[in-house]
Amino acid sequence: MRIVLLGAPGSGKGTQAQRLVARFGIPQVSTGDLLRSAVQRGTEYGLKAKAAMDSGQLVADEIVLGIIRERLAQPDAAAGFVLDGFPRNTAQADALDAMLATIGKPLERVVLFEVDYVEIARRLSGRRSCPKCGTIYNVHDAATPGITNCTRCTDHPALVQRPDDNEATVTRRLAVYDEQTRPLIGYYKGRGILRGIDAQGPVDEVTDRLLGALVSPPAQPLAAALARAKAEASARPKANPRAKAKAKAKAATRPKAKSKPKSKPKAKAKVKVKAKAKAKAKVKSKARAKPGVNARSRAKPKPKAKSKAKAKAKAKAKARRPAPRRHR
Ligand code: AP5
C-alpha cells in the first residue's frame, strides 16, 4: 500500500497516519518529522532546513528529496508507506513518480484532507506532542482537555509545542500551502488516484472516511483511462514479423485465379492513336503513287479547272443563241 496524505497544515494528516501505521504495519514517512529530527541532531541537512522551517517556508527540494530517497530505500518501506507532508509541490511530485517508477511501484492512492482554515487555526494553537514517542495531542480536545504529559510513555514526559505553531508562522504556512501544494490536487486528480474526505469531526469518524477512501475503486478520468489503454495495448502480443513474411511468400506461390486480363485504358488509347496514324499514312502513300493528285485535290476541284469549265459552258450557250436582228 503506497499512500500520500495531502492537506493543509493542521488538517490531521499526522494523527491519521499514526492510525494507518497501527492498522497496516507500514511506516509513516513524514518529511516534517525527518527534518525536525535532522535539526535536532544538527546534521548538515538540518542546519540548512532550520531557517525555512522557522519562517514557515518550504525547505529546498534537493534537501527534502535527499531525505526521502534515503528513507524509502530502507527495508521497512518495501511493503508500502504512508507519505505525510510529502510531496508539497509539483517538482517533488514528479521526482516521487520517477523514484517509484524505477522500482515499478507507483502510488496507489492520494487522500485529500478537507478542513476549513478557522478550524485549522484552533487545532494548531492547541497542538502538543510527545518528544519521546511522537504521539500528537490537543489541549482543546474534549478527551484530553489541557493535557500536559504523554499518557503513552511509561515515564510520562512533558509534551512540547512546535516552534512553528505560532499565529504568524501558521498564516505563512497556509499561504505557502495555497500557492505551492494546492496545485497537487489537480495533478493527482488527473491521474485518477485522488480521493477527498471531510477531515472535520471526531477523529474516529475521520479514520472511517479515510479507510473508505483507501478501498473505494479508483476514479476513471481521461488521463487514467488513457494510461490503462496504453498499458493494455503494450501487453497485447505483437504480430511476429517472421510469420508475416512467411504468409506473404505463401501467397506469392499460390496459383492466381484465371480472369480475362483487362486491357488498361492507357493501352487502349495508344492502339487507337496508332491505327489513326496508320490510316493517314496509307492515304498519303496512295496519293503519292498518282503523280499530281493528292488527297486534298480530290476532295475539292482546283479553282483554275473550275473557271475553265465555266468559260466552256458560256461559249456553248453563246453558239446556241440566234443572231441578233439588225434594225434598218
Ligand atoms: P510538517 O511537519 O509536515 O507540518 P504540516 O504539513 O504543516 O502539517 P502539520 O504537522 O502541522 O499538521 P497535520 O496535518 O499533520 O495535523 P496533525 O495531525 O498534527 O512540516 C513542517 C515544516 O517542515 C514545513 O512548514 C516546512 O518548512 C518543512 N517541510 C515539511 N515537509 C516538507 C516538504 N515536503 N518540502 C519542503 N518543506 C517541508 O493535527 C493537528 C492538531 O489537530 C493536533 O493537535 C491534533 O491532535 C488535532 N486534530 C487532528 N485531527 C483532529 C480532528 N478530527 N478533530 C480535532 N482535532 C484534530
Side-chain angles (χ1 to χ4, degrees), residues 62 66 91 118 149-150 168 285:
E62 71 257 28
V118 175
N149 292 76
C150 182
S285 69

Side-chain angles (χ1 to χ4, degrees), residues 280-299:
K280 231 177 182 178
K282 213 174 175 183
V283 170
K284 258 188 182 171
S285 69
K286 252 189 184 173
R288 244 180 262 129
K290 278 185 185 174
V293 180
N294 61 23
R296 216 184 279 160
S297 68
R298 265 206 233 168

Side-chain angles (χ1 to χ4, degrees), residues 31 47-48 117 149 182 201 213 215 222 228 247 262 270 287 324:
T31 39
L47 292 174
K48 282 184 184 166
Y117 286 6
N149 292 76
R182 205 176 268 285
V215 297
L222 190 62
R228 213 159 42 99
K262 276 180 192 166
K270 235 177 182 175

